Amino acid sequence: MKLTEPDVLQYTNYRVYLKDYYEFKKKTFPAFSLRFFAQKAGLSSHTHLKLTIEGKRNITKSTVFKLVHGIGLDQQRAFFFENIVFFNQASTEEERQAYYEQLVKCCAHSKINKIDKTHFYIFKEWYRSVILEMFSLRNFRPIPSEISAKLNGRITPAQAQESLDLLTQMGFLVKTANGFRRSVPMLMTGEEPQNMFLKEYHEQMLCLMGELLNDIPAKDRDFSGLTFGIRRSEFANLKKHIQLMYKELLNFSAKAGEADDIVQVNIQLCPLVRGV
């Protein structure tokens, strides 16, 4: 089967693209190496390139231009590559938003344009999905000050109002004569979220769980963990088992207007030590 060169437009992470590009070149041109790649791009050292691909170093604008030249990207793909580099490396939400908008405008056929914008806007802040779920509570009143109080002041009334406006704008809520009506039964991130928007959401939820560990009595929570060895070939099956378990947990969800509490269930699976 003929190998196809990776297209940067189909990536949301420039490091993954560089890794795939290098592996493609290595398979089609055995003499190709990181050292050769670096020399072709005019880089002084291949070590920096290696660390960049591994996620241990960032790159500058001058290095971006050199890599564009070394790979031979056309104008559209060069612009996309530059913006996805700084989108991935952005340190603030404002920067990330600016580069995201550039990427969306750059190419209608890019993978980043196919990412559901719901992920960017709704999961950008942990409390937005929680507020949407609060509409399943008994006698819930979507009043910003009351929402803030129910979340123990972890968000302000202004943030609650902004979320109500956004959820309405995105079509998850519908304004009625008496306030709001939920139009989407449940909002889920999917079985295995890959993009960086959902990654940030899960990072926020993990931080929140750390706070609640101290704030909520043991009888009202369950924090537990397992550490055990497995055969590497069983890892995919273990992930599938966890995904199926999530679907079973949904059987506990209350009907609209019948919930007493909103809960968050987090289950993490990560290799701690890699064997031979």
Side-chain angles (χ1 to χ4, degrees):
M1 185 177 67
K2 184 178 179 180
L3 295 175
T4 303
E5 181 172 334
D7 185 355
V8 68
L9 297 180
Q10 301 309 310
Y11 287 80
T12 59
N13 187 314
Y14 81 92
R15 300 179 199 274
V16 176
Y17 166 69
L18 289 175
K19 179 176 180 290
D20 288 353
Y21 172 80
Y22 168 70
E23 291 178 349
F24 164 78
K25 296 296 287 186
K26 188 71 177 175
K27 289 176 181 177
T28 55
F29 179 46
F32 195 87
S33 64
L34 278 178
R35 189 182 300 276
F36 181 86
F37 187 8
Q39 290 175 347
K40 187 180 178 185
L43 301 176
S44 58
S45 169
H46 72 284
T47 303
H48 191 181
L49 180 58
K50 179 178 181 292
L51 294 174
T52 297
I53 292 174
E54 293 174 348
K56 298 176 181 177
R57 291 273 184 90
N58 285 341
I59 57 177
T60 63
K61 194 161 188 173
S62 63
T63 302
V64 168
F65 291 151
K66 291 178 180 179
L67 287 171
V68 164
H69 173 73
I71 297 170
L73 296 175
D74 60 30
Q75 186 175 358
Q76 182 189 44
R77 285 168 174 77
F79 182 78
F80 185 88
F81 180 74
E82 177 186 351
N83 279 279
I84 205 160
V85 166
F86 297 117
F87 173 65
N88 290 164
Q89 295 181 173
S91 58
T92 67
E93 286 298 330
E94 290 75 15
E95 289 179 350
R96 190 174 288 107
Q97 173 73 32
Y99 287 118
Y100 174 74
E101 291 175 355
Q102 288 294 327
L103 288 164
V104 169
K105 292 176 184 177
C106 173
C107 180
H109 305 295
S110 69
K111 185 174 181 180
I112 203 158
N113 227 314
K114 297 173 185 175
I115 292 175
D116 188 347
K117 291 183 182 178
T118 297
H119 292 169
F120 186 78
Y121 292 107
I122 302 302
F123 293 111
K124 182 180 178 183
E125 302 291 351
W126 65 268
Y127 51 82
R128 290 173 181 164
S129 60
V130 176
I131 291 174
L132 179 62
E133 197 59 35
M134 288 171 76
F135 280 81
S136 65
L137 292 170
R138 301 177 194 270
N139 304 315
F140 173 66
R141 299 197 305 168
I143 300 173
S145 59
E146 293 188 13
I147 292 174
S148 174
K150 284 183 179 294
L151 291 173
N152 296 317
R154 284 190 164 85
I155 70 169
T156 66
Q159 289 172 316
Q161 182 62 61
E162 178 209 24
S163 296
L164 290 172
D165 293 341
L166 180 63
L167 289 167
T168 304
Q169 179 185 342
M170 299 294 291
F172 293 101
L173 297 177
V174 176
K175 283 190 176 181
T176 66
N178 299 321
F180 295 91
R181 173 176 59 81
R182 184 171 176 172
S183 61
V184 177
M186 184 165 290
L187 184 63
M188 298 180 66
T189 64
E191 289 185 348
E192 189 178 356
Q194 295 290 336
N195 72 62
M196 58 209 69
F197 310 137
L198 296 183
K199 176 178 176 289
E200 291 175 0
Y201 165 79
H202 286 293
E203 287 175 348
Q204 290 180 36
M205 276 299 181
L206 287 172
C207 289
L208 179 62
M209 291 301 105
E211 295 175 11
L212 296 179
L213 180 61
N214 297 316
D215 295 349
I216 297 180
K219 65 181 180 64
D220 294 327
R221 58 171 168 79
D222 182 273
F223 280 66
S224 56
L226 287 172
T227 305
F228 58 96
I230 66 167
R231 292 189 298 274
R232 192 170 299 169
S233 59
E234 289 293 330
F235 191 81
N237 290 332
L238 183 55
K239 287 175 65 176
K240 180 63 69 176
H241 187 78
I242 291 173
Q243 292 161 3
L244 290 172
M245 182 170 61
Y246 268 116
K247 292 179 180 179
E248 292 178 2
L249 291 175
L250 290 177
N251 291 328
F252 290 92
S253 61
K255 294 180 180 179
E258 295 183 2
D260 297 306
D261 303 305
I262 305 299
V263 300
Q264 175 75 15
V265 178
N266 292 324
I267 301 174
Q268 289 80 43
L269 170 65
C270 282
L272 297 178
V273 179
R274 286 290 193 186
V276 179

